[in-house]
Amino acid sequence: MRAERGSIAIWFASSSLSVMLLVTAAVLLLLLRNGLAPFWPSDIVAFDVHDETGNTSVLGTILDEDARSVIVDSGDASNGNGRYTRLAIASIASRSTPEDAYVVTSSNGSIRYVRYGAAPSNFDTVSYSNRLGTGEKLVVAVRQFIRFVSTGPSAGGVLPALIGTVTLVLLMSVLVMPIGIAAAIWLSEYAGNRRRARWVRAALTSLAGVPTIVYGVLGLGLFVHALGSAVDQLWFAQRLPAPTFGSGGLLWAALTLALLTLPDVVVSIENGLAGVPRRLRDGALALGATRNEVLWRVLLPAAGPALITALILAIARAAGAVAPLMLVGVVKLAPGLPIDAEFPYLHPSRQFMHLGFSVYDQALASGDAYDGVARAWSCALLLLLMVGLLNSSAILLRRRLDSRQRSLDVMAAV
């Protein structure tokens, strides 16, 4: 009977894991498909329309189609009806993909579909989509993605948001890791199991479940209004009433995210310190090392993988936390970058753009629903790629530390 129950439990656990993996794979595939779709050259379709107003021709790409109608992107200001045209299926006399049709794109991202003529002089790039093979379309898609990543909003890109996101995550990591390491050391090595330590652990567990928007309100009140105003009064009084640190900015956003990720960091590092073999401590003490020397030269290096794990958790949670940033510094369009070639290079008081906020803004607040939703998918994909790159770098470092730790264990065993 026990064996049967165990088999059922194993089957249920494996089935649940399989479902989770399938759902994760489906979400990733959906994100890849929709995130890369805006960069793939679409076929240019020519429609001959017969309706009550007469015979007309419409040239563009198909955005959506059902049994009743077709929605066509006919380009910016290419007709008097706006960029998007809805055509009833019953009114379409014919459709084709002519090879002489092409799309021209300007430096600000506006497009026009042209046929039977030369490209307008005020447009930069020309693409004959209908003539391209799969390999050529892939090259065009890569170029458009690079342009999307390497240009600003005026050219349809997200470079300021990408720089703002990376700078925020790195600054948050620099702030949270020393605090998290210090707190974990105190809990693991000095506090023991006393009542005060139990209260701290309980508080950390509770803080891990607090909604992110609460941290945003805390950051707004504590950092921006209280601490920021005090800093302005002390060091930037000549600029008042215009605030310097008394408004949302990069530093306050990083501190807010540091508070948000601190519980995960402390718990992960404390568990890592607790997992260090006792023989390493005893051996170091037996050789005459002091308690501080054991901590800095034995325990922390041995717990290196746990430190990297804590960093990975912090990056993963902070990169997707958008709600608190909306209260402490993120904006739709920032006048400058938080990091640039101007001294002091890092500007902690500046407002900044963020990929996560761009997803929200493009999906829900864009004036162009079709273009906004497409850009939101692309920003979400880029955010996922950025987090994956940062986490992959940390994982590689953790593997190196794991290898070093296994070597130390072998030497200690010998």
Side-chain angles (χ1 to χ4, degrees):
M1 188 66 177
R2 291 182 179 178
E4 183 179 353
R5 290 180 179 177
S7 300
I8 294 175
I10 293 173
W11 178 87
F12 179 77
S14 60
S15 300
S16 301
L17 178 60
S18 300
V19 171
M20 292 176 59
L21 292 176
L22 288 175
V23 171
T24 302
V27 171
L28 291 176
L29 289 175
L30 180 64
L31 186 60
L32 283 171
R33 176 183 177 276
N34 293 338
L36 296 176
F39 310 109
W40 189 264
S42 302
D43 290 336
I44 303 172
V45 183
F47 294 90
D48 292 325
V49 181
H50 296 170
D51 54 20
E52 62 276 4
T53 62
N55 300 333
T56 57
S57 297
V58 177
L59 188 66
T61 58
I62 298 176
L63 295 176
D64 193 14
E65 182 175 4
D66 54 28
R68 290 185 171 185
S69 62
V70 178
I71 298 177
V72 181
D73 178 4
S74 51
D76 297 311
S78 60
N79 56 55
N81 299 323
R83 176 171 179 176
Y84 304 113
T85 305
R86 181 184 293 272
L87 304 176
I89 294 293
S91 66
I92 299 176
S94 65
R95 68 171 74 184
S96 61
T97 54
E99 291 190 355
D100 59 346
Y102 56 93
V103 58
V104 287
T105 308
S106 70
S107 58
N108 62 1
S110 61
I111 62 174
R112 287 187 65 180
Y113 297 98
V114 184
R115 190 180 182 189
Y116 302 131
S121 59
N122 59 332
F123 284 80
D124 296 337
T125 61
V126 178
S127 175
Y128 288 85
S129 304
N130 296 346
R131 299 182 184 179
L132 301 178
T134 303
E136 294 170 316
K137 287 185 176 182
L138 180 60
V139 172
V140 173
V142 171
R143 289 176 179 174
Q144 291 184 354
F145 182 77
I146 293 175
R147 179 180 180 182
F148 177 72
V149 174
S150 60
T151 58
S154 60
V158 292
L159 180 61
L162 178 60
I163 293 177
T165 305
V166 174
T167 305
L168 174 65
V169 170
L170 293 179
L171 181 59
M172 178 278 304
S173 302
V174 170
L175 293 174
V176 73
M177 290 304 293
I179 300 174
I181 292 172
I185 289 174
W186 181 80
L187 288 172
S188 177
E189 302 300 320
Y190 297 98
N193 197 32
R194 291 180 296 180
R195 178 178 299 179
R196 185 184 303 176
R198 291 197 298 269
W199 278 106
V200 172
R201 292 187 179 96
L204 290 173
T205 303
S206 301
L207 288 174
V210 173
T212 58
I213 190 63
V214 175
Y215 285 97
V217 175
L218 174 64
L220 179 64
L222 176 62
F223 297 136
V224 178
H225 290 166
L227 187 58
S229 298
V231 170
D232 283 351
Q233 291 288 344
L234 287 175
W235 287 294
F236 301 97
Q238 69 279 7
R239 299 183 183 180
L240 293 175
T244 302
F245 283 91
S247 61
L250 177 68
L251 177 61
W252 306 140
L255 283 172
T256 301
L257 292 185
L259 289 179
L260 174 68
T261 58
L262 183 61
D264 297 328
V265 171
V266 173
V267 171
S268 179
I269 296 176
E270 185 184 4
N271 291 335
L273 291 172
V276 176
R278 185 70 188 180
R279 62 178 181 273
L280 292 179
R281 305 166 184 256
D282 296 340
L285 292 173
L287 291 174
T290 64
R291 191 174 183 181
N292 288 334
E293 289 174 338
V294 172
L295 174 63
W296 292 106
R297 298 191 179 186
V298 177
L299 296 184
L300 284 180
L307 271 64
I308 303 301
T309 300
L311 178 61
I312 293 173
L313 293 174
I315 291 175
R317 191 175 186 199
V322 179
L325 301 181
M326 297 170 66
L327 301 177
V328 291
V330 72
V331 292
K332 180 176 181 178
L333 290 174
L337 297 175
I339 184 170
D340 55 26
E342 178 184 350
F343 184 82
Y345 312 119
L346 179 66
H347 307 279
S349 64
R350 285 185 181 177
Q351 294 180 324
F352 61 97
M353 300 174 66
H354 190 274
L355 284 174
F357 182 77
S358 297
V359 174
Y360 162 82
D361 180 67
Q362 294 294 330
L364 299 180
S366 175
D368 188 333
Y370 287 104
D371 183 65
V373 172
R375 287 174 59 85
W377 281 106
S378 300
C379 290
L381 176 61
L382 186 59
L383 179 61
L384 181 64
L385 292 176
M386 185 209 74
V387 174
L389 180 61
L390 292 175
N391 285 345
S392 298
S393 302
I395 289 172
L396 290 176
L397 178 59
R398 185 176 63 184
R399 286 182 177 178
R400 292 189 61 182
L401 293 176
D402 282 336
S403 300
R404 180 181 177 185
Q405 181 59 38
R406 285 193 292 270
S407 300
L408 291 175
D409 289 343
V410 171
M411 293 176 62
V414 173

